[in-house]
């Protein structure tokens, strides 16, 4: 079976599984909590498709995506145990429920679960493409991609830990402005962009159609700027000094604060 079709089928099965969990639990947290685990399953399927002699590029990509997926799962799992279902998902679900249980179930599947599955497939393109590599040979820029991923992982992990220590997901009214938080409002998302840019660079020109891997960092950058950041910042308007903070601080890419 074609590797792209295989990964799409595996992803679809995973999405249906977490959707059924959401139906039983009557909340949509399963899509957030399971996001990283689904990614791990999909790249594992791609790695298995490579056969008994996977390439070095495929092994590295599979390992990096798996590390990303496990860290994301652990982070969101503990965040969920502290705050419960994400306010955005809860609000959507309650609005749709007013129009009937069937309407809420169907719209949830297509707008939350299926749509997120399609986005995740685009995000995982570097991991899938890397496992089509016919050779172990890697150029210097592929190794730069690995280093870029490591840098992004370190940034995301450290800034998430800083945020967690600052707020502990409680009603803390102040804004964290330590470290990279002083130069970007979302350094954790910036780390995410670096990681997927690194993965795209890892398989660039080493596999057929490798240019498709660039869709991954392009997607995560645009989605973060125009969807994730606006929706998350709606929940932060109550923070003391928030208006002043957003006026002087870059939304995603680190830059010196405006005076």
């Amino acid at each position: 079976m074609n590797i792209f079709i295989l990964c799409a089928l595996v992803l679809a099965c995973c999405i249906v599984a977490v959707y059924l969990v959401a139906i039983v639990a009557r909340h949509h947290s399963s899509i957030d909590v399971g996001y990283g685990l689904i990614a791990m399953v999909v790249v594992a399927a791609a790695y298995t498709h490579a056969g008994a002699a996977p390439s070095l590029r495929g092994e590295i990509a599979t390992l990096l995506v798996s590390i990303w997926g496990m860290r994301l799962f652990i982070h969101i799992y503990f965040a969920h145990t502290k705050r419960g279902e994400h306010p955005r998902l809860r609000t959507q679900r309650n609005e749709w429920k007013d129009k009937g249980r069937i309407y809420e179930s169907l719209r949830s599947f297509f707008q939350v679960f299926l749509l997120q599955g399609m986005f995740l497939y685009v995000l995982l393109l570097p991991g899938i493409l890397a496992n089509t590599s016919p050779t172990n040979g890697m150029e210097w820029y592929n190794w730069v991609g690995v280093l870029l991923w490591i840098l992004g992982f370190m940034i995301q992990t450290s800034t998430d830990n800083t945020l967690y220590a600052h707020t502990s997901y409680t009603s803390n009214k102040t804004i964290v402005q330590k470290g990279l938080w002083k130069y970007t409002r979302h350094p954790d998302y910036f780390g995410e962009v670096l990681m997927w840019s690194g993965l795209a660079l890892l398989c660039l020109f080493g596999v057929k159609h490798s240019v498709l891997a660039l869709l991954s960092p392009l997607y995560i950058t645009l989605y973060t700027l125009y969807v994730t950041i606006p929706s998350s910042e709606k929940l932060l308007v109550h923070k003391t000094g928030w208006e002043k903070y957003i006026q002087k601080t870059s939304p995603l890419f680190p830059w010196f604060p405006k005076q």
Side-chain angles (χ1 to χ4, degrees):
M1 181 182 294
N2 180 278
I3 189 172
F4 297 102
I5 296 176
L6 171 65
C7 290
L9 291 175
V10 171
L11 177 58
C13 290
C14 291
I15 290 296
V16 170
V18 295
Y19 172 71
L20 293 177
V21 171
I23 293 296
V24 173
R26 296 190 176 183
H27 61 69
H28 293 162
S29 296
S30 59
I31 186 61
D32 284 342
V33 176
Y35 202 77
L37 296 180
I38 295 173
M40 294 173 64
V41 173
V42 173
V43 294
Y47 180 78
T48 302
H49 185 276
S55 68
L56 177 61
R57 183 180 282 104
E59 290 178 332
I60 293 175
T62 302
L63 175 63
L64 297 184
V65 173
S66 297
I67 293 174
W68 170 85
M70 182 55 67
R71 195 211 75 88
L72 181 64
F73 165 70
I74 294 172
H75 175 73
I76 295 183
Y77 175 79
F78 282 106
H80 171 68
T81 58
K82 290 285 186 179
R83 71 187 180 196
E85 185 180 21
H86 194 284
R88 171 180 52 82
L89 296 175
R90 187 187 310 119
T91 300
Q92 287 180 335
R93 183 169 51 81
N94 290 334
E95 290 177 352
W96 299 338
K97 190 184 298 183
D98 292 338
K99 297 183 180 181
R101 183 69 178 174
I102 295 178
Y103 177 88
E104 185 263 331
S105 298
L106 290 175
R107 184 159 182 180
S108 295
F109 177 73
F110 287 103
Q111 185 167 331
V112 178
F113 293 84
L114 184 60
L115 189 61
Q116 285 296 322
M118 294 169 63
F119 288 157
L120 182 56
Y121 189 86
V122 174
L123 188 65
L124 293 175
L125 278 174
I128 298 172
L129 285 163
N131 279 290
T132 65
S133 178
T135 176
N136 281 325
M138 288 177 56
E139 301 295 336
W140 64 268
Y141 48 80
N142 300 133
W143 290 109
V144 170
V146 176
L147 294 177
L148 192 62
W149 185 94
I150 294 173
L151 176 62
F153 184 81
M154 293 172 62
I155 289 174
Q156 187 176 68
T157 302
S158 63
T159 53
D160 273 345
N161 290 340
T162 300
L163 179 63
Y164 189 88
H166 179 80
T167 65
S168 294
Y169 296 101
T170 64
S171 57
N172 194 319
K173 299 294 184 180
T174 61
I175 303 169
V176 58
Q177 298 186 55
K178 297 180 180 179
L180 272 179
W181 292 94
K182 181 179 179 180
Y183 303 98
T184 166
R185 304 199 298 266
H186 301 278
D188 47 347
Y189 296 154
F190 172 65
E192 184 92 351
V193 170
L194 287 183
M195 281 190 282
W196 291 104
S197 298
L199 281 167
L201 192 56
L202 167 63
C203 65
L204 202 61
F205 307 128
V207 299
K208 191 176 181 180
H209 308 306
S210 64
V211 70
L212 291 176
L214 297 176
L215 292 175
S216 177
L218 177 62
Y219 150 70
I220 197 62
T221 301
L222 294 178
Y223 189 85
T224 298
L225 281 172
Y226 298 106
V227 179
T228 307
I229 289 178
S231 64
S232 63
E233 291 190 344
K234 286 180 181 179
L235 306 174
L236 301 173
V237 293
H238 67 283
K239 296 282 187 178
T240 303
W242 174 251
E243 287 300 325
K244 183 178 179 180
Y245 179 63
I246 64 174
Q247 289 175 5
K248 71 177 185 178
T249 311
S250 170
L252 179 60
F253 299 101
W255 194 247
F256 296 103
K258 296 178 181 179
Q259 299 299 323

